[in-house]
Amino acid sequence: MRRTVTILGATGSIGRSTRAVIAENPEQLQIAALVAGRDAVGLARIARETGASFAAIADEGQGGELAAALAGSGIRHGAGREAVLEAVERDSDIVVSAISGAAGLEATFAALTPGRVVALANKESLVCAGAAVMGRARAVGTRVLPLDSEHNALFQVLGAEPISAVRTMTLTASGGPFRTWSAERIAGATPEQALAHPNYAMGAKITIDSASMMNKGLELIEASFLFGLGAEQLEVLVHPQQIVHGLVTFRDGSVSAGMAVPDMRVAAAHCLGIDGRLDAPPSRFLDLVAAGPLVFERPDLARFPALRLAMAALAEGGAAPAVLNAANEIAVEAFLAGRIGFPAIPALVEAVCARARSVSRPPADVAEALAVDQDARNRARALLSEGGFAVT
Amino acid sequence: MRRTVTILGATGSIGRSTRAVIAENPEQLQIAALVAGRDAVGLARIARETGASFAAIADEGQGGELAAALAGSGIRHGAGREAVLEAVERDSDIVVSAISGAAGLEATFAALTPGRVVALANKESLVCAGAAVMGRARAVGTRVLPLDSEHNALFQVLGAEPISAVRTMTLTASGGPFRTWSAERIAGATPEQALAHPNYAMGAKITIDSASMMNKGLELIEASFLFGLGAEQLEVLVHPQQIVHGLVTFRDGSVSAGMAVPDMRVAAAHCLGIDGRLDAPPSRFLDLVAAGPLVFERPDLARFPALRLAMAALAEGGAAPAVLNAANEIAVEAFLAGRIGFPAIPALVEAVCARARSVSRPPADVAEALAVDQDARNRARALLSEGGFAVT
């Protein structure tokens, strides 16, 4: 019997990878419901192509356009928060949670139901509310699988070993477009330069985070909640080839490394085939001879202070990761809009974090996480409008 | 409670690594019985140091020397085949099987008892009688763990996955001292040159096998029996840094690589800590930054025909691997004695294998394996004495 998959974030890059894997395995998998943020026309097209039974658009204002685009298809649909939650609640074996931002957090929580598999790519679910999400998943019996390449690699190579067998986990980072740049040159980086990621085509936000290495910092925080490891057991190595995605070092000196071509479909296929590996097409297998020498470097926290800030937030715990994440989102928006320079991203994040030292308890649920998130955004916006971070 | 360990091959290099790990973990592990081949004085010294309860020397002629060396120690001892089997049969949780050659085969079989862990480094057990050994282990409920770095790495990264999830397994090879040599230069290689292994200090036989790449061929055959994969799913990559020891490529494109510093104590620690990882000293953890670029090359079957012969024997099945192994032992002996040149090693093996095509059934037990082994040795010696392979 085919397993049914609901995709939250169907029109984004992870949604696209997920759909590609489902299309490659029509005997094993079929789409249930689809959710997108704002692109009603794209969502309707995908829903028709994949034979989805339900399509929801988060942006309520796009409801009319979705209805028009689905006219005559027989596909049920809806718009707004309630429609998104209806999509999540409809019957499906696997929910792929790839809506970015706070909207994805609520939908992810709703997806945590007994017996289900939730393939998680929504960063906020773990960064802002990791303790709550993982606690709920354990309590209700949901299997949470990481869909990011790095966490998926770590999940696979940890396998059935208890976490007590682990000495450290290492996430690799491409190093981004500024890996070899001097601090001075990075200080003058433009949005266009920061958007030139060497290996993956991703959304603008995550590409800027990759350039600042904040992305890797947020991933460290995600790994902490996913695997139950503290900051002192989590490390980053820069690995420009992006062939090794994560490494588990066991207490006895054995190291298991998760590798794959840099293609999000590999991790997606692992999650969708969790109860029986799917077959990848021949072109998706790693050729280590062709991949060339694999090189590993320590990250430079002086040139990439965002990574240092994320490590500090992880070590601090409580609401610090949620504050960091919210401040960073505002900072990246401002950078992309040309309002602040590249070094002002970590500077603004640091300023916001410095004023939020008092929230020592991690958010207990979605509402608390969203409140912390909103508060940090407001503080970041206030600091921005004071003008101290503006491009001069 | 401490787990007890019996070491078959206590004075060899694997025995040394095993003892080192036991000495590092006195709260978890203690020696039960020790077996060595000929070095009675070395065995007695080790038995006294480790507090062994029993020591056996395989060479019956060394019994007097062992008795003298253990005088006053209170350690029980014996010499010859019966004493070796007594050592195996004495109570112990883990048996490390690291006697090389045919003698190790019988002892390994005897060690396969219910509930025990057998950490296997005796190549002949799998190359000559792999089907029989693994069949018996399954039947009586012995956990067989591979102690070679390569197979141990594969075992670890396969983890709890079913073998049906695997597309290929890859064993890495250092490439040996002749990795960059031309075929002409290899043809004139001396025993001294062949004994200069770049990374490991091992016995002479295995070091020559490493130079010819026959060692990797024999390891492919071992992997085939350990994991139940055919020749078409087993591959070799040359990896001079010897950091990645083995790779499992899953059907979905995910690759899990087993890594460690090139130190046999890591695999030994994994086997001895199979029910709870042991802690390695800080110096035994891999530093990927210091390890330098990791490079992978395809093996050159033209310059290293021994690997091609082993692959052919694996594909042929039946008694072919046992014949290959026996012929190779005689050929290496002759090379080390200066009787034949380096290229005559694979040439002699090929000639012996070519005359043994008729034995299509794998040896069913120790006796059959030993008969095939003896027959192939006799044929190899006969061919040698005909003089066609001699150094001219």
Side-chain angles (χ1 to χ4, degrees):
Chain A
M1 216 180 68
R2 295 192 293 177
R3 312 196 75 204
T4 52
V5 184
T6 287
I7 308 178
L8 314 180
T11 54
S13 63
I14 291 169
R16 187 165 53 243
S17 297
T18 304
R19 288 185 282 114
V21 171
I22 294 169
E24 287 164 6
N25 296 277
E27 307 288 315
Q28 286 83 33
L29 298 167
Q30 74 181 102
I31 297 274
L34 295 173
V35 173
R38 280 176 301 275
D39 179 7
V41 171
L43 176 62
R45 184 181 48 76
I46 294 166
R48 286 175 183 270
E49 282 171 11
T50 60
S53 61
F54 186 79
I57 193 100
D59 182 348
E60 203 142 9
Q62 298 294 313
E65 192 147 0
L66 181 63
L70 285 173
S73 68
I75 299 169
R76 289 171 51 86
H77 54 87
R81 178 174 171 275
E82 292 300 323
V84 170
L85 292 177
E86 182 183 342
V88 172
E89 282 155 18
R90 290 173 74 94
D91 196 40
S92 68
D93 299 310
I94 304 172
V95 173
V96 172
S97 168
I99 299 178
S100 61
L105 176 52
E106 187 181 35
T108 302
F109 249 87
L112 298 171
T113 55
R116 229 184 207 170
V117 169
V118 171
L120 192 55
N122 169 256
K123 208 173 286 294
E124 286 72 15
S125 298
L126 291 172
V127 173
C128 304
V133 165
M134 296 306 288
R136 182 182 169 115
R138 270 190 300 275
V140 305
T142 310
R143 285 188 285 172
V144 173
L145 307 180
L147 192 43
D148 274 352
S149 296
E150 293 81 358
H151 302 94
N152 185 267
L154 293 169
F155 182 89
Q156 287 199 47
V157 295
L158 178 62
E161 291 274 342
I163 197 70
S164 60
V166 174
R167 184 179 203 241
T168 53
M169 283 190 177
T170 305
L171 289 89
T172 61
S174 70
F178 306 149
R179 179 174 65 91
T180 60
W181 288 28
S182 69
E184 293 68 34
R185 200 172 160 210
I186 293 173
T190 65
E192 190 176 39
Q193 289 168 326
L195 286 170
H197 190 277
N199 292 324
Y200 282 93
M202 303 178 295
K205 160 68 168 55
I206 194 172
T207 305
I208 300 299
D209 284 348
S210 178
S212 71
M213 292 195 74
M214 179 61 92
N215 183 51
K216 208 52 54 176
L218 295 172
E219 287 181 2
L220 279 180
I221 295 168
E222 291 183 81
S224 170
F225 287 112
L226 270 171
F227 299 109
L229 291 179
E232 71 290 354
Q233 287 185 280
L234 292 165
E235 297 176 351
V236 170
L237 280 180
V238 174
H239 170 51
Q241 295 79 28
Q242 296 237 272
I243 297 297
V244 177
H245 302 296
L247 302 110
V248 174
T249 298
F250 293 100
R251 287 165 46 192
D252 60 10
S254 302
V255 178
S256 293
M259 301 181 168
V261 292
D263 182 324
M264 285 183 282
R265 288 172 294 187
V266 177
H270 172 259
C271 291
L272 297 178
I274 189 65
D275 292 316
R277 297 252 183 188
L278 303 170
D279 283 303
S283 60
R284 206 169 301 146
F285 287 94
L286 179 60
D287 180 344
L288 275 175
V289 176
L294 304 183
V295 175
F296 300 87
E297 305 164 359
R298 284 191 214 297
D300 181 347
L301 300 183
R303 286 187 301 134
F304 298 98
L307 180 56
R308 176 178 54 76
L309 295 174
M311 287 171 161
L314 173 58
E316 188 183 331
V323 170
L324 172 99
N325 178 66
N328 181 61
E329 285 204 18
I330 299 301
V332 171
E333 262 177 42
F335 171 68
L336 285 171
R339 290 182 62 198
I340 63 173
F342 193 73
I345 297 175
L348 177 61
V349 170
E350 187 160 28
V352 174
C353 288
R355 294 172 196 208
R357 296 278 150 178
S358 55
V359 189
S360 63
R361 192 170 57 79
D365 54 27
V366 176
E368 279 193 28
L370 294 181
V372 168
D373 178 84
Q374 199 53 55
D375 183 58
R377 281 167 201 268
N378 291 343
R379 260 177 293 131
R381 289 198 187 96
L383 284 168
L384 270 182
S385 59
E386 285 169 18
F389 297 92
V391 174
T392 50
Chain B
M1 215 181 65
R2 293 193 295 177
R3 311 197 74 205
T4 53
V5 184
T6 287
I7 308 179
L8 315 179
T11 54
S13 64
I14 291 169
R16 186 165 56 244
S17 297
T18 304
R19 288 186 280 113
V21 171
I22 294 169
E24 286 164 6
N25 295 278
E27 307 287 315
Q28 285 84 31
L29 298 166
Q30 74 180 102
I31 297 273
L34 296 173
V35 173
R38 282 176 300 273
D39 179 7
V41 172
L43 176 62
R45 182 180 49 76
I46 294 166
R48 287 176 183 269
E49 283 172 9
T50 60
S53 61
F54 186 79
I57 192 100
D59 182 347
E60 202 142 12
Q62 297 294 312
E65 191 146 3
L66 182 63
L70 285 174
S73 68
I75 298 171
R76 290 172 51 84
H77 53 87
R81 177 175 172 273
E82 293 300 324
V84 170
L85 293 178
E86 182 183 344
V88 172
E89 282 155 16
R90 291 173 72 94
D91 197 41
S92 68
D93 299 310
I94 304 173
V95 173
V96 173
S97 169
I99 299 178
S100 61
L105 176 53
E106 187 181 35
T108 302
F109 250 88
L112 298 171
T113 55
R116 226 181 208 171
V117 169
V118 171
L120 192 56
N122 169 256
K123 208 173 285 294
E124 287 71 17
S125 299
L126 291 172
V127 172
C128 304
V133 165
M134 296 306 289
R136 183 183 168 114
R138 269 190 300 273
V140 305
T142 311
R143 284 188 285 172
V144 173
L145 307 180
L147 191 42
D148 274 352
S149 297
E150 293 81 356
H151 302 95
N152 185 268
L154 292 170
F155 183 89
Q156 288 199 46
V157 295
L158 179 62
E161 291 274 341
I163 197 69
S164 60
V166 174
R167 185 180 202 240
T168 54
M169 283 190 176
T170 305
L171 289 89
T172 61
S174 70
F178 306 150
R179 180 175 64 90
T180 60
W181 288 28
S182 68
E184 294 67 34
R185 201 172 160 210
I186 293 173
T190 65
E192 192 175 38
Q193 290 169 323
L195 287 170
H197 191 277
N199 292 323
Y200 283 94
M202 303 178 296
K205 161 66 168 56
I206 194 173
T207 306
I208 300 299
D209 285 347
S210 178
S212 72
M213 294 194 74
M214 180 61 91
N215 183 50
K216 208 50 55 176
L218 295 171
E219 288 181 4
L220 278 181
I221 296 168
E222 292 184 80
S224 170
F225 287 112
L226 270 171
F227 299 109
L229 291 180
E232 72 289 353
Q233 287 185 280
L234 292 165
E235 297 175 351
V236 170
L237 280 180
V238 174
H239 170 52
Q241 294 79 31
Q242 296 238 269
I243 298 297
V244 177
H245 301 296
L247 303 110
V248 174
T249 299
F250 292 100
R251 287 166 45 191
D252 60 10
S254 301
V255 177
S256 293
M259 300 181 169
V261 293
D263 183 323
M264 285 184 282
R265 289 174 292 187
V266 177
H270 172 258
C271 291
L272 297 177
I274 190 66
D275 293 316
R277 298 252 183 187
L278 303 170
D279 282 303
S283 61
R284 206 169 300 147
F285 287 94
L286 179 60
D287 180 346
L288 275 175
V289 177
L294 304 182
V295 175
F296 300 87
E297 305 163 358
R298 284 189 213 300
D300 182 346
L301 299 183
R303 286 187 301 133
F304 298 98
L307 180 55
R308 177 178 52 78
L309 294 173
M311 287 172 162
L314 173 58
E316 188 184 333
V323 171
L324 172 100
N325 178 67
N328 180 60
E329 284 204 18
I330 298 303
V332 170
E333 263 176 43
F335 171 70
L336 285 170
R339 292 182 62 196
I340 63 173
F342 194 73
I345 297 175
L348 178 61
V349 170
E350 187 160 28
V352 174
C353 287
R355 293 171 200 210
R357 297 277 153 178
S358 55
V359 188
S360 64
R361 191 170 56 79
D365 54 27
V366 175
E368 280 193 26
L370 293 181
V372 169
D373 179 83
Q374 199 52 55
D375 183 58
R377 281 168 201 269
N378 292 343
R379 261 178 290 133
R381 289 199 186 94
L383 283 169
L384 270 181
S385 59
E386 286 170 16
F389 297 92
V391 174
T392 49

